[in-house]
Amino acid sequence: MRIFRSLFGMFVLLLFGGTAATPVEAQDLDFEIVPHWAVGYVVNAPTQLVGFGGVTFGPHLAGWGVYVDAKFTLDSPKGESNFDPSLTPEEVENLWGDLVFEERSIWTTVNIALVRVVSDGVALYAGGGYSHEDAYIRYFDETGERGEFGWYWVKDDNASGDRVNLMVGAWLRLLPRMMVQFGGETNPPGATVGLTIVLPFGR
């Protein structure tokens, strides 16, 4: 929660700390008229709840633009005390037949997309990137001999690897200096949601 409070505070400072637009300026923040340079916090729910992105679009690029972002999954089983790096799922299931209790994947994604302004307050994007998946399985040993009280994690290398991610979405102007982002992605599959602050460059 600390990181979310810090990020929220950063957005408030950027939005109101000397960047608030006057009524005249607000009229001039048309996507089709004014160059937009912006940064934001973006997630791919429900898997990647930490992410950051940057975008530029507008008349300086003839109504086109470029967007880049990076998103991450928190709470990897690899950092837990009952993670056993010496075992594989094949060994567990062939030797002991322990019960599979949970499967979890940790994702790291980097994307780039092409942006197109379609109206004074709407810009669309489509693109893709690279995602890396680390897959884990949580087992339960009924005898209690393995793990902590029988619970332990094992990395599944066969289910891990690199993936191609595809993404589409849009920005909508919420306030003169704030845009909201909505979209979808394929790897990991989820809904893209973001809050983007327009920087006062080129005004």
Side-chain angles (χ1 to χ4, degrees):
M1 290 300 294
R2 183 177 301 172
I3 186 172
F4 293 105
R5 288 196 296 268
S6 299
L7 289 167
F8 180 76
M10 178 189 70
F11 281 124
V12 170
L13 287 173
L14 283 171
L15 184 60
F16 297 108
T19 65
T22 67
V24 174
E25 288 174 330
Q27 295 174 3
D28 292 337
L29 288 174
D30 188 314
F31 284 5
E32 298 175 311
I33 297 174
V34 179
H36 279 65
W37 300 82
V39 295
Y41 187 83
V42 59
V43 304
N44 180 16
T47 308
Q48 297 172 302
L49 299 182
V50 173
F52 304 93
V55 63
T56 182
F57 58 79
H60 60 307
L61 296 173
W64 293 90
V66 178
Y67 169 65
V68 294
D69 74 18
K71 305 185 189 77
F72 312 92
T73 304
L74 298 177
D75 302 325
S76 171
K78 189 174 182 179
E80 297 188 13
S81 58
N82 61 348
F83 170 69
D84 192 334
S86 67
L87 296 175
T88 66
E90 292 75 19
E91 291 173 326
V92 171
E93 293 165 17
N94 292 334
L95 292 175
W96 306 298
D98 288 346
L99 300 174
V100 174
F101 181 77
E102 178 184 358
E103 296 180 356
R104 185 188 303 176
S105 288
I106 306 302
W107 294 84
T108 299
T109 303
V110 177
N111 296 304
I112 185 168
L114 188 65
V115 184
R116 179 60 176 168
V117 174
V118 296
S119 75
D120 62 349
V122 179
L124 307 180
Y125 68 89
Y130 157 91
S131 289
H132 181 77
E133 178 184 11
D134 286 323
Y136 298 87
I137 301 175
R138 188 183 186 190
Y139 290 98
F140 179 65
D141 168 25
E142 294 179 330
T143 69
E145 296 178 355
R146 288 173 290 281
E148 295 180 354
F149 305 103
W151 300 101
Y152 62 101
W153 287 97
V154 172
K155 185 177 180 183
D156 186 355
D157 287 325
N158 290 332
S160 302
D162 298 332
R163 316 282 185 238
V164 173
N165 182 47
L166 300 178
M167 61 188 303
V168 295
W171 281 277
L172 308 177
R173 186 172 60 212
L174 181 65
L175 294 171
R177 299 289 186 194
M178 180 183 292
M179 302 183 296
V180 291
Q181 177 183 353
F182 299 100
E185 304 186 40
T186 60
N187 275 310
T192 310
V193 181
L195 182 66
T196 306
I197 299 300
V198 179
L199 302 174
F201 298 155
R203 297 291 185 265

